[in-house]
Amino acid sequence: MVIKREMAFGIVQGLGDIWKCQELQDFTVTLGDTQYGCHRLLLAACSIYFRGLFRSGMKETESNCVTVEDISSETFELILETLYTGHSVLTNDNVTDIWRAAHRLQIEFLVKECEHFVIKTMSLENYIDYFKVGRLFNSNAVVDVAWMFMLKNFTSFSKEHFFLELPLSDVLRLVESQSLVAKSEDNVIKAIMKWIEFAPNSEGLPSSRVQDVAMEDSRCLRFQNERNDIKNVNVSNENSSVGILTGGSRSMDLFALMSRARTCLASHECLEMMLGHPLVTSDKQTRDLITQALLYQLQIGKRNGQWPTSAIHRNSSFYENVAITAELLPDITLIKVFSFTRNKWFSTKIKSFPGTEVFRLAAVDKSLYSLCVTLKSRWDNEDEPYRLSLFELMHNAWSEKQFHLRIPPLCRYFFTAVNDYIYLLNSDLRTIWRLDPKSTLSVQLANNIPDD
């Protein structure tokens, strides 16, 4: 059905005129010491709460008057202005009160309007408050936006007292998220320990949270009783109350949280500090987890393609977990990189090395190297027609390292990166060389390796 804008505007304008003149009012809403004359038709059309009240046949429908609690007269007056005129009355100062009242009176379109306003005006100053209200009113849209604020500002958010009051499920979800933004994984681990060490009160919740839950419990109970009165149904307080959850020691959650952090990406100093923490020393699972992360950091070869979950870089990291392939074409090297984070291929063309016949790639930590077999055209020694050279990829160009290994022609060789070195294994000569790309030194480690 198409609604013509001019006709809708005319109807709203007429309602506004009647409201201002206080004409034809047939129902009174009392809030504290203030009474508001209203029209049944408008209240029933906009509010599920009032519609149910008018249909119930209760005494309020006969007396044409109802008393509403938990809503201030200022807030209700703003709601009436919205219903009668269609004006937007929302501000940063009143949106929470109007949102709560609209939810209380079940004015669905006004609830949506409040949600849109909250999402549009959410900032670092108010996202925690909006998250609380969004959770209370089951507003997934608001909660999701506030959640992204927590992720993108995790370092500052983890210093808030509200972070310490989060349930385990929320902290787990934060820590394991790929979208979490932190200066380093050390900050994430420190936040975990801060949450673990926070001492709840004897009932399992921080005292401030107990008070909040109790207030929410009371509000929900009163609202539920009022709705049940409308339906003429008796519900006991025991069935309609919201229970306060109790919990045990948070130290039991340490392994669950640490296993979702990127422990392999934390600093060596942070991991060593964790090993000395009393909660870690008394928890074998967590202690083994930290030890494995330390061992992983000492084995760079493992980082070239073997990534446990705790070694996957987050989306905000300067680094990504990638797979690299290369193809030697005339005059250029075509390098293709697959990003596991973005699930996408990238490619770049780099000028090749003159006289290069074959080459291989090796990654040492955060650097990419190319081992190339170059032909005799690059030098004049006829007795040594082949030479193995090492290049490092820097600023989208290959930079040659200042050392060479001379190898016989048609020699078969293999290489791998282990820790800080590149190892070259010659299957024909049964020889192993160790190349240090940083110091440009090469050392022959073994010669005439036996077949077995």
Side-chain angles (χ1 to χ4, degrees), residues 396-407:
N396 204 35
W398 292 111
S399 174
E400 186 172 3
K401 310 298 288 187
Q402 296 301 314
F403 75 89
H404 303 282
L405 284 176
R406 293 174 174 81
I407 60 175

PDB file of all heavy atoms in Angstrom, residues 396-407:
ATOM      1  N   ASN A 396      59.933  -3.501  -2.900  1.00  0.00           N
ATOM      2  CA  ASN A 396      59.444  -4.017  -4.178  1.00  0.00           C
ATOM      3  C   ASN A 396      60.565  -4.193  -5.205  1.00  0.00           C
ATOM      4  O   ASN A 396      60.365  -4.051  -6.412  1.00  0.00           O
ATOM      5  CB  ASN A 396      58.360  -3.103  -4.755  1.00  0.00           C
ATOM      6  CG  ASN A 396      57.448  -3.853  -5.717  1.00  0.00           C
ATOM      7  OD1 ASN A 396      57.163  -5.032  -5.527  1.00  0.00           O
ATOM      8  ND2 ASN A 396      56.997  -3.171  -6.762  1.00  0.00           N
ATOM      9  N   ALA A 397      61.764  -4.500  -4.722  1.00  0.00           N
ATOM     10  CA  ALA A 397      62.896  -4.766  -5.613  1.00  0.00           C
ATOM     11  C   ALA A 397      63.833  -5.744  -4.917  1.00  0.00           C
ATOM     12  O   ALA A 397      63.895  -5.808  -3.683  1.00  0.00           O
ATOM     13  CB  ALA A 397      63.630  -3.475  -5.961  1.00  0.00           C
ATOM     14  N   TRP A 398      64.559  -6.519  -5.715  1.00  0.00           N
ATOM     15  CA  TRP A 398      65.496  -7.487  -5.163  1.00  0.00           C
ATOM     16  C   TRP A 398      66.828  -6.810  -4.867  1.00  0.00           C
ATOM     17  O   TRP A 398      67.402  -6.142  -5.719  1.00  0.00           O
ATOM     18  CB  TRP A 398      65.723  -8.644  -6.139  1.00  0.00           C
ATOM     19  CG  TRP A 398      64.525  -9.516  -6.333  1.00  0.00           C
ATOM     20  CD1 TRP A 398      63.761  -9.627  -7.458  1.00  0.00           C
ATOM     21  CD2 TRP A 398      63.961 -10.408  -5.378  1.00  0.00           C
ATOM     22  NE1 TRP A 398      62.748 -10.529  -7.268  1.00  0.00           N
ATOM     23  CE2 TRP A 398      62.844 -11.030  -5.991  1.00  0.00           C
ATOM     24  CE3 TRP A 398      64.272 -10.743  -4.067  1.00  0.00           C
ATOM     25  CZ2 TRP A 398      62.058 -11.955  -5.343  1.00  0.00           C
ATOM     26  CZ3 TRP A 398      63.483 -11.674  -3.410  1.00  0.00           C
ATOM     27  CH2 TRP A 398      62.389 -12.270  -4.038  1.00  0.00           C
ATOM     28  N   SER A 399      67.315  -6.986  -3.660  1.00  0.00           N
ATOM     29  CA  SER A 399      68.611  -6.439  -3.252  1.00  0.00           C
ATOM     30  C   SER A 399      69.570  -7.604  -3.018  1.00  0.00           C
ATOM     31  O   SER A 399      69.309  -8.480  -2.180  1.00  0.00           O
ATOM     32  CB  SER A 399      68.458  -5.609  -1.973  1.00  0.00           C
ATOM     33  OG  SER A 399      69.710  -5.187  -1.492  1.00  0.00           O
ATOM     34  N   GLU A 400      70.677  -7.614  -3.747  1.00  0.00           N
ATOM     35  CA  GLU A 400      71.604  -8.738  -3.664  1.00  0.00           C
ATOM     36  C   GLU A 400      72.443  -8.655  -2.398  1.00  0.00           C
ATOM     37  O   GLU A 400      72.986  -7.604  -2.052  1.00  0.00           O
ATOM     38  CB  GLU A 400      72.517  -8.772  -4.890  1.00  0.00           C
ATOM     39  CG  GLU A 400      73.417  -9.999  -4.934  1.00  0.00           C
ATOM     40  CD  GLU A 400      74.165 -10.112  -6.249  1.00  0.00           C
ATOM     41  OE1 GLU A 400      74.023  -9.203  -7.092  1.00  0.00           O
ATOM     42  OE2 GLU A 400      74.884 -11.117  -6.431  1.00  0.00           O
ATOM     43  N   LYS A 401      72.540  -9.774  -1.691  1.00  0.00           N
ATOM     44  CA  LYS A 401      73.392  -9.865  -0.511  1.00  0.00           C
ATOM     45  C   LYS A 401      74.830 -10.132  -0.961  1.00  0.00           C
ATOM     46  O   LYS A 401      75.070 -10.767  -1.983  1.00  0.00           O
ATOM     47  CB  LYS A 401      72.922 -10.983   0.420  1.00  0.00           C
ATOM     48  CG  LYS A 401      71.436 -10.940   0.743  1.00  0.00           C
ATOM     49  CD  LYS A 401      71.027  -9.672   1.479  1.00  0.00           C
ATOM     50  CE  LYS A 401      71.508  -9.671   2.895  1.00  0.00           C
ATOM     51  NZ  LYS A 401      70.990  -8.516   3.677  1.00  0.00           N
ATOM     52  N   GLN A 402      75.776  -9.672  -0.194  1.00  0.00           N
ATOM     53  CA  GLN A 402      77.175  -9.694  -0.627  1.00  0.00           C
ATOM     54  C   GLN A 402      77.885 -10.995  -0.261  1.00  0.00           C
ATOM     55  O   GLN A 402      78.846 -11.018   0.487  1.00  0.00           O
ATOM     56  CB  GLN A 402      77.904  -8.495  -0.031  1.00  0.00           C
ATOM     57  CG  GLN A 402      77.387  -7.160  -0.508  1.00  0.00           C
ATOM     58  CD  GLN A 402      77.482  -7.015  -2.014  1.00  0.00           C
ATOM     59  OE1 GLN A 402      78.516  -7.344  -2.607  1.00  0.00           O
ATOM     60  NE2 GLN A 402      76.412  -6.545  -2.640  1.00  0.00           N
ATOM     61  N   PHE A 403      77.394 -12.098  -0.736  1.00  0.00           N
ATOM     62  CA  PHE A 403      78.167 -13.338  -0.657  1.00  0.00           C
ATOM     63  C   PHE A 403      77.630 -14.313  -1.705  1.00  0.00           C
ATOM     64  O   PHE A 403      76.482 -14.224  -2.136  1.00  0.00           O
ATOM     65  CB  PHE A 403      78.132 -13.960   0.744  1.00  0.00           C
ATOM     66  CG  PHE A 403      76.841 -14.638   1.094  1.00  0.00           C
ATOM     67  CD1 PHE A 403      76.629 -15.972   0.792  1.00  0.00           C
ATOM     68  CD2 PHE A 403      75.840 -13.944   1.748  1.00  0.00           C
ATOM     69  CE1 PHE A 403      75.445 -16.592   1.129  1.00  0.00           C
ATOM     70  CE2 PHE A 403      74.661 -14.562   2.088  1.00  0.00           C
ATOM     71  CZ  PHE A 403      74.455 -15.892   1.777  1.00  0.00           C
ATOM     72  N   HIS A 404      78.484 -15.246  -2.118  1.00  0.00           N
ATOM     73  CA  HIS A 404      78.118 -16.192  -3.166  1.00  0.00           C
ATOM     74  C   HIS A 404      78.634 -17.577  -2.788  1.00  0.00           C
ATOM     75  O   HIS A 404      79.606 -17.731  -2.050  1.00  0.00           O
ATOM     76  CB  HIS A 404      78.727 -15.793  -4.517  1.00  0.00           C
ATOM     77  CG  HIS A 404      78.356 -14.415  -4.955  1.00  0.00           C
ATOM     78  ND1 HIS A 404      77.136 -14.115  -5.501  1.00  0.00           N
ATOM     79  CD2 HIS A 404      79.060 -13.256  -4.914  1.00  0.00           C
ATOM     80  CE1 HIS A 404      77.098 -12.822  -5.791  1.00  0.00           C
ATOM     81  NE2 HIS A 404      78.254 -12.280  -5.441  1.00  0.00           N
ATOM     82  N   LEU A 405      77.958 -18.573  -3.321  1.00  0.00           N
ATOM     83  CA  LEU A 405      78.439 -19.948  -3.249  1.00  0.00           C
ATOM     84  C   LEU A 405      78.573 -20.456  -4.674  1.00  0.00           C
ATOM     85  O   LEU A 405      77.618 -20.362  -5.461  1.00  0.00           O
ATOM     86  CB  LEU A 405      77.464 -20.836  -2.464  1.00  0.00           C
ATOM     87  CG  LEU A 405      77.463 -20.697  -0.944  1.00  0.00           C
ATOM     88  CD1 LEU A 405      76.375 -21.588  -0.355  1.00  0.00           C
ATOM     89  CD2 LEU A 405      78.806 -21.067  -0.362  1.00  0.00           C
ATOM     90  N   ARG A 406      79.754 -20.991  -5.015  1.00  0.00           N
ATOM     91  CA  ARG A 406      79.972 -21.526  -6.356  1.00  0.00           C
ATOM     92  C   ARG A 406      79.666 -23.014  -6.347  1.00  0.00           C
ATOM     93  O   ARG A 406      80.150 -23.752  -5.495  1.00  0.00           O
ATOM     94  CB  ARG A 406      81.409 -21.256  -6.803  1.00  0.00           C
ATOM     95  CG  ARG A 406      81.701 -19.781  -7.012  1.00  0.00           C
ATOM     96  CD  ARG A 406      83.173 -19.536  -7.307  1.00  0.00           C
ATOM     97  NE  ARG A 406      83.431 -18.146  -7.644  1.00  0.00           N
ATOM     98  CZ  ARG A 406      83.566 -17.176  -6.748  1.00  0.00           C
ATOM     99  NH1 ARG A 406      83.470 -17.463  -5.470  1.00  0.00           N
ATOM    100  NH2 ARG A 406      83.794 -15.935  -7.139  1.00  0.00           N
ATOM    101  N   ILE A 407      78.843 -23.437  -7.275  1.00  0.00           N
ATOM    102  CA  ILE A 407      78.424 -24.837  -7.322  1.00  0.00           C
ATOM    103  C   ILE A 407      78.666 -25.384  -8.719  1.00  0.00           C
ATOM    104  O   ILE A 407      78.707 -24.637  -9.702  1.00  0.00           O
ATOM    105  CB  ILE A 407      76.935 -24.989  -6.955  1.00  0.00           C
ATOM    106  CG1 ILE A 407      76.071 -24.201  -7.939  1.00  0.00           C
ATOM    107  CG2 ILE A 407      76.672 -24.530  -5.539  1.00  0.00           C
ATOM    108  CD1 ILE A 407      74.599 -24.391  -7.726  1.00  0.00           C
TER     109      ILE A 407
END
